[in-house]
Amino acid sequence: AGRERGVLVVDNSTLYRFADAKRKNVLNVARRYAGSGRKGNEVAEEIGGKVMALRDRFISKTGRSVDYDAMRGSPLFTEYCHATLELQKLQVGDMSPEQKTAFFINVYNALVIHAHIHLGPPRSIMQRAVFFGSVGYDIGGHKYSLSDIEHGILRANRKPPGLFPKRPFGEGNPRLRHALQEEEFDPRVHFALVCGAKSCPPIRVFSPENLDSALQWATEGFCQEEVTVRADKRKVKMSMLFKWYHADFGATDREMVEWIRRYLPPDSPLEASFKISYHTYSWDQNGRNYEDDNGETVTIPESPASGPSTTIGSHSQRSYVTESAAPADPDLDITHTDEFSNYEDD
């Protein structure tokens, strides 16, 4: 055996990466992918199919609980993890905006599931910040964290919410060329991305062919569920997503409400002048058993499925929000927010 750049052990024809501190939360680099890279939408289609297979086997019909303990040791999960290795060779430079958007939405949602199994869910504000900023995949030789995908790629390199935000990709960063352009950014992606929390939108699989209609459907469903109108009091209450990403939906409250109004039923009494308030955002893991923010174990009883399966892209699936029965991994380092600052090629 020999060493290559300090991160690989070569054993016959197989290459293994050392799980050093800078790479341990990059979840698809245990081995080097030896095949040739395919187009991004083809890989995304395969990964989406693997996720749907896991759902059919380990997620309840309601989508409200997940058997992560069984999933973790299953051949289906092993197959999914193996499929993510191909992302190392993926070239996204020749993808259309529609292909790129669908691909990175699917990869983001799959990565959240992968991380909840491999590392366990974050339990605090600090852990959540580091989780989304450090957990990632190697895509085309570059590390992409969840935050990189959401804010760098899908939000056209916009600043994330926070006290001292900065753009994910600075000038000269090789990943910047793959970010959507400002005119290509679609705020409806907020209702396609699933962070694993109870208040997140449900997870779906998207395809470039029907991206517009799928985002429309996802946005209408989210707005109609999360926006509460009290016409008698001229008030409207909505998800915290609209507060955190206010600028994505409109520069003023009036513009934001007018944007939301397009995705509510035609007979909605909502007016742009209504006073806005926001629902409390629940970071609890949505499942049969999870720990709330006070450390208490909460059990949610099963209930009958609430509707037929839906088809987004080419996969038949039910909507669900992920949760995890896995304990938090002590190796999820919450002391360094720039854990991958020295990742090769970035």
Side-chain angles (χ1 to χ4, degrees):
R3 295 191 57 182
E4 178 184 321
R5 298 185 64 184
V7 297
L8 296 173
V9 175
V10 183
D11 182 10
N12 296 326
S13 61
T14 305
L15 303 178
Y16 296 91
R17 296 184 186 271
F18 289 112
D20 61 29
K22 293 294 181 183
R23 304 175 63 91
K24 66 182 179 182
N25 289 342
V26 182
L27 302 186
N28 68 329
V29 294
R31 289 190 293 117
R32 173 176 285 181
Y33 181 72
S36 58
R38 293 181 292 161
K39 292 182 179 180
N41 59 317
E42 295 176 357
V43 179
E45 181 84 6
E46 179 174 339
I47 288 178
K50 303 290 186 186
V51 173
M52 290 304 104
L54 292 172
R55 183 222 57 168
D56 290 342
R57 176 63 180 84
F58 301 108
I59 299 173
S60 69
K61 291 181 179 180
T62 63
R64 299 184 67 196
S65 61
V66 181
D67 190 345
Y68 270 66
D69 286 335
M71 185 188 296
R72 183 183 299 108
S74 72
L76 287 176
F77 183 64
T78 299
E79 291 176 11
Y80 167 76
C81 292
H82 181 76
T84 65
L85 297 176
E86 188 173 355
L87 295 176
Q88 299 170 20
K89 292 288 187 71
L90 188 68
Q91 299 300 317
V92 299
D94 59 349
M95 297 172 69
S96 69
E98 294 77 18
Q99 290 173 330
K100 194 179 300 182
T101 300
F103 167 71
F104 276 105
I105 289 174
N106 292 337
V107 166
Y108 180 100
N109 292 337
L111 175 55
V112 169
I113 295 172
H114 192 168
H116 277 210
I117 293 176
H118 185 72
L119 300 170
R123 300 294 191 186
S124 66
I125 293 175
M126 180 176 291
Q127 284 191 350
R128 284 195 291 270
V130 177
F131 181 89
F132 290 103
S134 66
V135 170
Y137 280 148
D138 179 328
I139 301 176
H142 302 288
K143 166 260 172 178
Y144 289 83
S145 70
L146 289 164
S147 183
D148 292 332
I149 293 172
E150 179 179 4
H151 308 297
I153 300 296
L154 294 172
R155 295 185 64 235
N157 205 35
R158 294 186 174 199
K159 296 178 181 180
L163 295 177
F164 306 105
K166 64 179 182 178
R167 297 184 187 277
F169 307 144
E171 292 296 329
N173 190 309
R175 297 169 295 175
L176 180 59
R177 67 180 182 269
H178 299 314
L180 292 175
Q181 298 300 305
E182 187 67 29
E183 63 273 14
E184 297 167 347
F185 165 60
D186 188 334
R188 295 179 299 176
V189 298
H190 287 294
F191 314 110
L193 299 177
V194 182
C195 66
K198 192 174 182 180
S199 290
C200 282
I203 192 170
R204 304 176 176 95
V205 176
F206 294 79
S207 72
E209 291 77 20
N210 74 345
L211 181 64
D212 181 69
S213 60
L215 287 175
Q216 180 77 12
W217 186 80
T219 304
E220 289 177 353
F222 186 85
C223 288
Q224 292 177 26
E225 182 175 346
E226 295 291 334
V227 177
T228 305
V229 180
R230 290 293 305 271
D232 57 329
K233 296 186 177 181
R234 301 188 64 78
K235 293 182 179 180
V236 58
K237 196 169 188 178
M238 60 188 67
S239 168
M240 283 292 292
L241 289 177
F242 291 106
K243 182 177 182 178
W244 294 331
Y245 299 101
H246 192 309
D248 290 358
F249 305 105
T252 65
D253 284 354
R254 176 176 290 271
E255 289 181 1
M256 181 175 69
V257 171
E258 289 176 345
W259 188 95
I260 294 170
R261 181 69 179 80
R262 300 201 301 267
Y263 301 98
L264 297 179
D267 60 351
S268 172
L270 178 62
E271 297 179 11
S273 59
F274 281 15
K275 183 178 179 180
I276 298 173
S277 62
Y278 299 94
H279 297 294
T280 300
Y281 200 86
S282 174
W283 287 101
D284 291 340
Q285 301 305 304
N286 187 10
R288 185 173 300 166
N289 296 289
Y290 65 89
E291 285 187 7
D292 63 18
D293 290 338
N294 297 317
E296 299 293 331
T297 299
V298 178
T299 299
I300 299 178
E302 282 298 311
S303 59
S306 58
S309 295
T310 58
T311 300
I312 301 296
S314 62
H315 300 291
S316 176
Q317 46 96 51
R318 289 184 189 273
S319 302
Y320 67 91
V321 180
T322 58
E323 57 84 38
S324 176
D329 193 317
D331 289 334
L332 179 56
D333 188 351
I334 64 169
T335 62
H336 303 290
T337 59
D338 59 344
E339 186 170 20
F340 292 110
S341 59
N342 295 327
Y343 193 88
E344 59 185 353
D345 294 332
D346 288 350

